[in-house]
Amino acid sequence: MTLASEVDLQQLFTREHHRIHLVGVAGSGMSGIAALLLELGHDVSGSDKVGSLETDRLQRLGLRFQAQHRAEDATEAELVIFSSAIRDDNPILVSACAAGKPLVRRAEALAAIMSGKRGIVIAGMHGKTTTSAMAAHVLREGGMHPSHYVGAEIPLLGSNAHWDPRGEYFVAEGDESDGTLRFFKPEHTLVLNIEEEHLDFYADLAAIETVFLQLLDQTSGAVFYCADDLHAGRICGSRDGSISFGFAPDADYRGTDIDLQDFASVFCVFRRGEKLGEAVLNVPGRHNVSNSLGVIALATELGIPFEKIVTSLRRFEHARRRFEIKYESDRFLLVDDYAHHPTEIRATLATAKSAGRNRVLTMFQPHRYSRTQALRREFGRAFDNADRILVTDIYPASEAPLPGISGQTIADEIVAHGHRAVSYQPRLERLHCDLGNMIAAGDLILSLGAGNIHEQLSILAADLVIAERLKEIVGEEGDVRLYEPLAKHTTLRVGGPAQFWVEPRNETAFAGLIRYCRRENLPLFVIGRGSNLLVRDGGIRGVVVHPCGGEFDRVEVAGNEITAGVGAKLKQVAYAGKAAELGGLEWMEGIPGAVGGGLRMNAGAMGAQTFEHIARIRYLDGEGNAHTKTPAELEIKYRHVPSLDHNYAVSAVFRGTSAAPEEIARRLDESQEKRRTTQPSAKSAGCIFKNPASGPAGKLVDELGLKNSRVGNARVSEVHGNFIVNEGGATAAEVLELIERIKQVARTQRGVELETEVQIVGEPA
Ligand code: EPU
C-alpha cells in the first residue's frame, strides 16, 4: 500500500488528470468530492450500496457509478478515495491495497484539493452547513468566485460542492466527527462552537479540543470564533489576531437589537464599537443570527463592503433540512430540521415556538446509539418548547445497537424531566399517522433528526394538501381528519386508519366530495355506524366519508311517512314511528346500524328487512347528481342492494302503518327481549355470515362445536354462533383468521360454503 502522504496530492488533484475511484460515493460528503474531481477534469468512478439523487446528478456530469462494491470496477483507477463509513474489508479497498495504489480518506482528499486555493474552514459542532453555505454565498455575491464544499445539497449554491477556477478562495465545511479536521491547513478558520459530541469517536471534551487546537495551529491567517460559546472563546480567544463575533459586548463583530420575526431576523451590526448598519437574515432563529455574524466578520475582513454583505444575506436561503418549510397555510405549518443534538433541538424548538402558532408538535428520530446513550439526560431536557413529542427508534448510522438503548430511552428521560406529553412509537412508518391524527388548525409540526424521519413529514405534507382541499369542500361545519383510526368507528372496534376521514353535513358537501375524488382519482368509501364492517389493520386508503350531523341526522314525520337522513340510527326511525303511532318498524330497534348502512345492506331482523318499508330513497350517483327512486326502480336482494354499490344514499322515506301505541310498545319490547336473550352484548359486527339455504349460520356454527373458539382476542360468541366478539384489543387479522377457520370446518364437515355478510374492506397491516 502506498501511503497517501507519500504522494503530492495537491499536485495530483489540482494540476493533473487521473483515473480516480470513490468508495461510498453516494454519501453527502463523498458526492461533493466526486463533483470537485469531475470539475477538475479527472476521470471519476464510484461505488456505493445504493444510488441517490446525488449520484444521479453526478452521473449526468460524467461519474461512472456502480450500485455495489466490486473490485473489478476499480481496477483501472490509479487512486482510491474512501469514506470513513467504509470498512477495511471492502473488496475495492482490499484489492487497491494489494495493488499498491494510493488510498486516500475523504477529508485528506478535500484538504488536498483545498490546498490548491486559499482555504477557509468552517468548524464547530452545530450550524456548520448553514454557515459554510452562507459564507460561500456571500463571497460569491461579493464577486470573489469562491469554490465550496458543504455537507448538504444547497439549492441556492446549485450543488454541495463546486470548483471555480476563477477565484482564489475555497470555503469548506470541516467535519470534526472523525478527527479528520487535522488534515486541513487553511488560511482562515471560523469556529462556531465546541462541546461534547461524537462520543463514539472522542473519549471526552479534551480529545475534541486537541483536534481543534491542531486545526488552529495549522491556520495561517485569522481565526474567527463565536464569543458567546464557552469553549470556542476559551480555545480561540487568546490567539494572536483572532477575531470574535456574537452577542457579547466585547465581541469584535457584535449583533444587537435583534428582532426575531417569523422567518427572518433583523439586527444591528457593530465592529469594535463602530456601527456598520442593519442586517436582515432570511433564515429564522437567534443561532443563525450568530452564525451570520461570523460570516459578516469573515467577509468584511476579506474586503467585501458591508452593504454588499447585507444584500447577499437578505437573499440567503436555507440548506435542505435546516428549518425547511415543507407545507404552509393559514391552518398548518410543517417544518423539517436536521437537529439531532440536544443543543440543536433546543435551538430549533425555540425558533419553532417563536413562529407564533398555537402548538408545536414534534416527531424525533434519535441518531446513533452512542449519542443517545451519552447525552440521554440532555435529550430529556431539550424538548421543553414542544407541546407534543413523538419519539421513534434510533437511526443507527453505521452503529450496532447498544443493549437497553432505544428511542424509549429518550422518551423516558423526557418524562423523568417532567414533560408528560411524550410517547414512543418504535415503527417509523407509523409516525406520520400518529402525528397527523392529532393535528388541529394552528399547529406547527416539526420533524427532527439526521436520519430519514423527514420522509414521514413529506408524506404528511402531501396528504395535508389533499385534506385542506377536502376541508374547503365540506366547509366550516364539516370535519376532516387525517389517519383517523377506524377501530373508533366500527362496532367491532378493529381496523386501521382512514387516510382521509371526512364528515360532510349536507348533500351539497357530499356531492362535492364525490366529484373531487372522481377528478383526483382518489378512492371513496362511505361508512355509517360501522356496525356491519370489518376493516383490515392497514386501514383504508383514500377518502372515507362519514355522513353525519346536520341534514344527515334529521328524522321527520309527515302523515305515515318518516323521512330520515342516512346518518340517523335505524333505532331512531323505530322510535319516531312509536311517537307518531306508526307501527311495522319496531324490528329496527334491534339493529345497531344507521339508515345508510341499513339501505346499502338491506338489513333485517325478526323476519323483516329494510326495503319492505321504504317508500323511496334519495341518492347521489358517481358524478354527484341526486336521484329519488322507489324500491321498484332498484335492484334489491337479501342483504345486498346492487343499485347502491356505486351510488351513495343520502336519505330514505320509510312508510309505517297506523297502530295502537300499546301494540307498538309491545313489539319494541319483544324485539329488545329477543336481542337481549339471543345476542351477545360484547363488541361485535353483528352476524358474520349470511344464512345459507340450509338454515341459520349461527345454528350451524353452534352445531359444529365452534362457539368459544378463538384466535387471539377474537372469539366466537357463546351466546350466538354467528357473532364474533372482540374481547379487547383484537386485530382484524385475528378476526379474519377465525372466519377462515369456521368456513373451513363448515366446508369439510357439512359441505356448506359460508358467505360473509359483514363487509370486509381495507388493506392488511
Ligand atoms: N341458533 C342456534 N345457535 C346459535 C345461534 C342461533 O341454535 O348460536 C338458532 C336459534 O335458536 C334460531 C336460529 O338459529 O332457532 C336463528 O337464530 P336467530 O333467530 O338469532 O336469527 P339469525 O338468522 O341468526 C337473523 C339476522 C340477525 C338478526 C336476527 C334477529 C342474519 C344473518 N341475521 O339472525 O341480523 O338480528 O335474525 O331477527 O340474517 C345482522 O344482520 O347483523 C344480524 C345480527
Side-chain angles (χ1 to χ4, degrees), residues 605-606 638-639 674 679 687 689 691 696 702 707 720-721 757:
M606 312 286 286
Y638 164 66
R639 297 291 186 270
K674 159 134 192 179
Q679 295 185 0
C687 283
F689 301 105
N691 284 337
D702 193 355
K707 277 185 167 177
H720 194 301
E757 169 183 305

Side-chain angles (χ1 to χ4, degrees), residues 531-532 590-592 601 603-608 638-639 674-675 678-679 685-691 696-703 707 717-723 757:
S531 60
N532 193 49
I591 309 259
M601 283 295 300
M606 312 286 286
Y638 164 66
R639 297 291 186 270
K674 159 134 192 179
R675 186 161 43 85
T678 64
Q679 295 185 0
C687 283
I688 290 286
F689 301 105
K690 290 180 182 172
N691 284 337
K699 186 156 178 267
L700 174 65
V701 173
D702 193 355
E703 287 168 4
K707 277 185 167 177
S717 164
E718 188 167 13
V719 187
H720 194 301
N722 202 2
F723 284 69
E757 169 183 305

